[in-house]
Amino acid sequence: MPEHTAASRLRLSGLCFFLQVLNILLFAVFVRYSPESSPGQCPPQLNCSQRNQDSGFQQPRFQDVHIQVLLSFGLLVAFLSRYGPGSAVISILIIAFAIQWAVLIQGFFYFFLNGKIYVGAQSMVSADFCTTAVLISTGAVLGRANPVQMLLLALLEVTLCTLNEYILLSLMGVSDSGRSLTVHTFGAYFGLMVSRVLYQPHKDKRKREKRQDMGHQTDVFAVIGTIYLWIFWPSFTSATTVHDNANNWAVLNTYFSLVASTVATFILSPVLYEESTPRMVQIQDATLAGMAVMGMAGEMLVTPFGALIAGFLVGLISPLGFRFFTPVLHSRLKIQDTCGVHNIHGLPGILGALLGTLLTLMATADTYGDRLELVFPLVAQGSRTVTDQVLIQLGALPLTLLLATLGGWLTGSVLKTKVLRCSPDAQYEENTVFSEVAEEGCDPRASEKELGISTVV
Amino acid sequence: MPEHTAASRLRLSGLCFFLQVLNILLFAVFVRYSPESSPGQCPPQLNCSQRNQDSGFQQPRFQDVHIQVLLSFGLLVAFLSRYGPGSAVISILIIAFAIQWAVLIQGFFYFFLNGKIYVGAQSMVSADFCTTAVLISTGAVLGRANPVQMLLLALLEVTLCTLNEYILLSLMGVSDSGRSLTVHTFGAYFGLMVSRVLYQPHKDKRKREKRQDMGHQTDVFAVIGTIYLWIFWPSFTSATTVHDNANNWAVLNTYFSLVASTVATFILSPVLYEESTPRMVQIQDATLAGMAVMGMAGEMLVTPFGALIAGFLVGLISPLGFRFFTPVLHSRLKIQDTCGVHNIHGLPGILGALLGTLLTLMATADTYGDRLELVFPLVAQGSRTVTDQVLIQLGALPLTLLLATLGGWLTGSVLKTKVLRCSPDAQYEENTVFSEVAEEGCDPRASEKELGISTVV
Amino acid sequence: MPEHTAASRLRLSGLCFFLQVLNILLFAVFVRYSPESSPGQCPPQLNCSQRNQDSGFQQPRFQDVHIQVLLSFGLLVAFLSRYGPGSAVISILIIAFAIQWAVLIQGFFYFFLNGKIYVGAQSMVSADFCTTAVLISTGAVLGRANPVQMLLLALLEVTLCTLNEYILLSLMGVSDSGRSLTVHTFGAYFGLMVSRVLYQPHKDKRKREKRQDMGHQTDVFAVIGTIYLWIFWPSFTSATTVHDNANNWAVLNTYFSLVASTVATFILSPVLYEESTPRMVQIQDATLAGMAVMGMAGEMLVTPFGALIAGFLVGLISPLGFRFFTPVLHSRLKIQDTCGVHNIHGLPGILGALLGTLLTLMATADTYGDRLELVFPLVAQGSRTVTDQVLIQLGALPLTLLLATLGGWLTGSVLKTKVLRCSPDAQYEENTVFSEVAEEGCDPRASEKELGISTVV
């Protein structure tokens, strides 16, 4: 059906055109450079007061954030490595759109003053975080959503993710600097819910046989992705912490957590699978999980051995989830999780939030010193007790899960409407670039287990 | 012809030996460490006075440049990814030689004092910029020049590029911090002119059939190259701007420009080619083009939506150029443009220069504030009116084009001399490493159009 | 023998579990966060006094180190690229374990105070350095040691390497900021000695025929590895120098050395091998060698042309070593050097140490200025004459060689015990991941020469 294909090609083209022109118009009306030199940079509704109070150090501080924007972006794009060169094309499109859209939406929530959004380095960091959540959700539906659906998913998720973040960080005063909740947990469960709504039982059974010869390619990307993560993620985790001692803790904790979770993979993999060493893509998963668990707790008093234990446990839980939980997810709950985001981001994010809540109990001036002002400003100022803070941190978890699943259900329902529904299979039959999406980058064994297929000819 | 091959092998070896010994001797006579601690670091003929006047901030400033040297180098090497592992060998040779040579030549122009060249971080940044221009030119003649010719091209282009840069930046006082003119435009048209002079009509028709199986390899490199560009280019664009607010603008503008040009690729690609999504290498091209257009204008008052519009337009123009202009270039003007540098660097560079000229019109103290002193020091000091600055910025474009084409013609003529002319085809028939050069890394579709060949067996 | 295989799989799993739990327990007992804010950060037995005396600059200093930890880690992982995706799995395991172990062991030597180890950014830098030495040793025995042996090698080498470093840097006051001796020389000769002890004459003859189709893959990794090295190594070399002018020298010297050694590869390669251009993996070797030679001398008064000469010579010596010395090493001394670490790290490390000793002769207040205090604090304080310093620098070389070979012999003997000896060949016959280890990432020509095999069917 070449007419059909041409029509669908032009639909993506047209949607991109429409969205880009919309972005340009909205930017023209609303977005201005942030006047950093003036003291009114930070709008009063954002609790960034403690971050700028050291005005003498503002200059290096900005430069610090600026480098971290660039570096943390490396992380974002490292997700691509996971999904292979075919899917990278789609991911780049999502990133390019989501960053613009996130600057706008986050601007309305955080940087809106006198009818204008003032963008600066901080906006770019926030936009990067938000785009990460979208990329995580994408991993759950990869291969079962066409590019048009992906773009609309990004459009809706950026909005809902920002809403969740605004409620948690600004209204409730939750401390979640490395975004265990607002990025990892939200992104994973949002994506899983979308995957549930888009579920089509008799799909994806064909083109599995092509996968075998992709194995080596996948390993190359997994090596590169793991390298990026080891280099850049500690920056990512600490991007929004102030560059004081707290920053230091966040980097050290993340570092210790990831080495422990990597070793844990070597312990479980020979037991679960009949291979002596894990595949590279499993190590990348362990790296991601070990870092996701340090999201909220990173800047808190984890202590070095606490970080080792947390990383070790999450490094054991993640492969167990791939082996035992993903098949159950698929067969019982009808949720296909293409890249296993539930094991890599969902579970570690929840564990990270619980760990962070636990560590909030210890947030006293004795243990934290000056750091208390930075990690829990409301507690340090005396306007909130430690118990209140613990309850709020704890309450943020079910709230995030609720918003993520509701948002995912809503988004999935929109994506399922007839005009968008034509699946990638029917539509891009001969398009090898897109059909590679489902084949590469995701752990082959996990997907096979998940789909209950070993070799289909 | 094994004797012939042995002779040509040894010729490259001998030339490398000669050039390296020459470099060592010239370094021994002329080059010394820059005494940064002393106030006489910056020679008076270089207009770097405004950059060191904040002597209290000199320490972090240096460190800033130092990091940016390393990072911006990532960019240089990212070009390699574009040309595949075979050509990477040649490119690394060019880089290794051109950096040394650029330190010398640029040293004579900028850092020469009392018979000595004083090198420091600034020299390395300048040498990196100059090497980038050489790499861009290389992209136009890749596969049609042998390594010996490439080395001589680097030797001559570094000299001429530095001359052009010296005339523009130091004598005329043009503001071109991200090097739209001196790197992108100069490099592209220099390379195109060399390609014109080296034109041989009946070459390159054979070995096209090998290309198909390289497609996947190319994509891997394109993904990695795009990631590098997204991470490192904003640093590159702002490497020579002062690390004040202007720096911030340059980063934000470049960032917005690149996301818009990426989306634009998704709009045009389905229309121009019968595929639903662009190939990774096209996205890399769009990324490069979107950044080249922000070269001169980056630190000026583009405004966020202006950067989006500029990136959007250049993201549309670049694929159109590949589709319609490159074949014309080849058939009418007899210019083979192996990697399409005209579309990626030439046109965006010119557009960037025009945009920068336009924005110079708005360079008043009201709109720029303190920034005016940094971007247009002569205007801020009152020694030049805004109109003069606009005329000078405008005049720099034809001057650069003139110098680039003259220099390219001269260089091409030298490379065409009989002793050097033996083409890579005759010479390296059985050398797979070199014959891969023409096959990989460049957009296969564009090249096919360009050469008018679809399948040659 | 599936039972045998299952047993060996579980042995690796069990060892990982034991070591990780041991690390967690030791961390729980000993390791605490370093209280950077307090002045007592630096234990008196470590000569870091001069690094913290500029207390006003402590804040940016820390941030500097922190970025360099992340960057220099890129270097560590770049070694992986050399050994291919199969071996990357083993290398990541070694890294993940060695970092934890090095934090502990180095902590006992350097950061031990009142029964606790205080970890901070400095600990991570030291641990990274130590892990580098382990990775270098690994390169000598790759493919002939199973993962269990590799882990034990890391366990022992971290301890011995830290002992050597402590004797040299803290007790003797040797200046070796870029670690020519303590990382490159120690790692290479330790690994070579282990390789000697593990020597088994009739192994490794089979599976050579698979290598040919890996060539392209190897090139991809070599390109990526070389890019990483060019970007990150200058940081690595200068990671422990103070971020004053000395830092600048170290970066410039390393930069000049690497470009010269790269050009040298192009001179010798056509002469030694019958190809017009070197392979990418040879360029990576030259890059490594050119940087290893700047380890000790980097922050000294090499002068730009001195750095060019040093890089040029080592760039000539390294391929000559591959061509002529590695076969002798194998046939006469029965040392198999899988990845040629003797040519890449051993010889350049020794040359770097000799160069550093030579340059120490010129260490007077006239030539070094304020820098003398930073590079040779004991000389600057007058408690040691220049001649004494020269003798100590010179004496450090044989001492390191002695400790490395003794340590390697000891470690090899432990690894050879019967319970560990089952070679990877017998054990992992059908495990493609591991059997790839010996095939990839290392210079195919060198290995062929070394093993005296061209094609074995």
Side-chain angles (χ1 to χ4, degrees), chain A residues 64 216 220 227 230-231 235 243 248-249 251-253 255 262-263 266-267 270 275-276 278 303 305 308 312, chain C residues 9 13 16-17 20 24 27-28 33 36 59 63 66 70 73-74 77 89 92-93 124 128 217 228 428 431:
Chain A
D64 190 30
H216 209 71
V220 174
I227 293 173
W230 278 64
I231 300 177
S235 290
H243 78 304
N248 191 11
W249 279 11
V251 173
L252 288 175
N253 288 336
Y255 215 65
T262 303
V263 174
F266 283 82
I267 297 171
E275 294 185 6
S276 60
T303 72
F305 75 93
L308 282 184
F312 187 61
Chain C
R9 278 213 322 273
S13 174
C16 289
F17 184 78
Q20 187 57 45
I24 289 176
F27 265 65
Y33 294 122
E36 280 94 6
Q59 195 61 28
Q63 182 193 341
H66 155 57
L70 301 175
F73 191 77
V77 193
V89 173
I92 283 267
L93 173 62
M124 304 313 290
D128 279 356
Q217 201 69 45
Y228 268 104
Y428 302 89
N431 180 353

Side-chain angles (χ1 to χ4, degrees), chain C residues 248-267:
Chain C
N248 190 11
W249 279 10
V251 173
L252 287 175
N253 288 335
T254 310
Y255 215 65
F256 286 132
S257 170
L258 86 90
V259 291
S261 79
T262 303
V263 173
T265 308
F266 283 83
I267 296 171

Side-chain angles (χ1 to χ4, degrees), chain B residues 9-10 12-13 16-17 20 23-24 27-28 31 33 36-37 59 62-63 66 70 73-74 77 85 88-90 92-93 95-96 99-100 119-120 124 128 217 221 224 228 232 428 431 433 436 440, chain C residues 57 64 216 219-220 223-224 226-227 230-231 234-235 243-245 248-249 251-253 255-256 259-260 262-263 266-267 270-271 273-278 280 283 301-305 308-309 312:
Chain B
R9 278 212 322 272
L10 294 181
L12 174 62
S13 175
C16 288
F17 185 77
Q20 188 57 47
N23 271 336
I24 289 176
F27 265 64
V31 181
Y33 294 122
E36 279 94 6
S37 45
Q59 194 61 29
F62 163 69
Q63 182 195 340
H66 155 57
L70 302 175
F73 191 76
V77 194
V89 172
I90 307 298
I92 283 268
L93 173 62
I95 289 175
I99 283 178
Q100 298 176 58
V119 298
M124 305 314 290
D128 278 357
Q217 201 69 44
F221 277 103
I224 298 169
Y228 268 105
F232 293 137
Y428 301 90
N431 180 352
V433 170
E436 280 168 13
E440 286 174 23
Chain C
F57 280 71
D64 191 29
H216 209 72
D219 274 351
V220 174
V223 172
I224 298 169
T226 309
I227 293 173
W230 278 64
I231 300 178
S235 290
H243 78 304
D244 249 327
N245 294 324
N248 190 11
W249 279 10
V251 173
L252 287 175
N253 288 335
Y255 215 65
F256 286 132
V259 291
T262 303
V263 173
F266 283 83
I267 296 171
V271 180
Y273 306 98
E274 297 190 349
E275 294 185 4
S276 59
T277 48
M280 205 56 218
I283 295 172
L301 184 66
V302 191
T303 72
F305 75 93
L308 283 183
I309 293 173
F312 187 62

Side-chain angles (χ1 to χ4, degrees), chain B residues 42-51 110 169-170 173-174 377-378:
Chain B
C42 187
Q45 67 267 29
L46 178 62
N47 65 341
C48 56
S49 57
Q50 80 280 10
R51 313 206 160 181
Y110 293 114
L169 303 190
S170 293
V174 172
L378 295 172

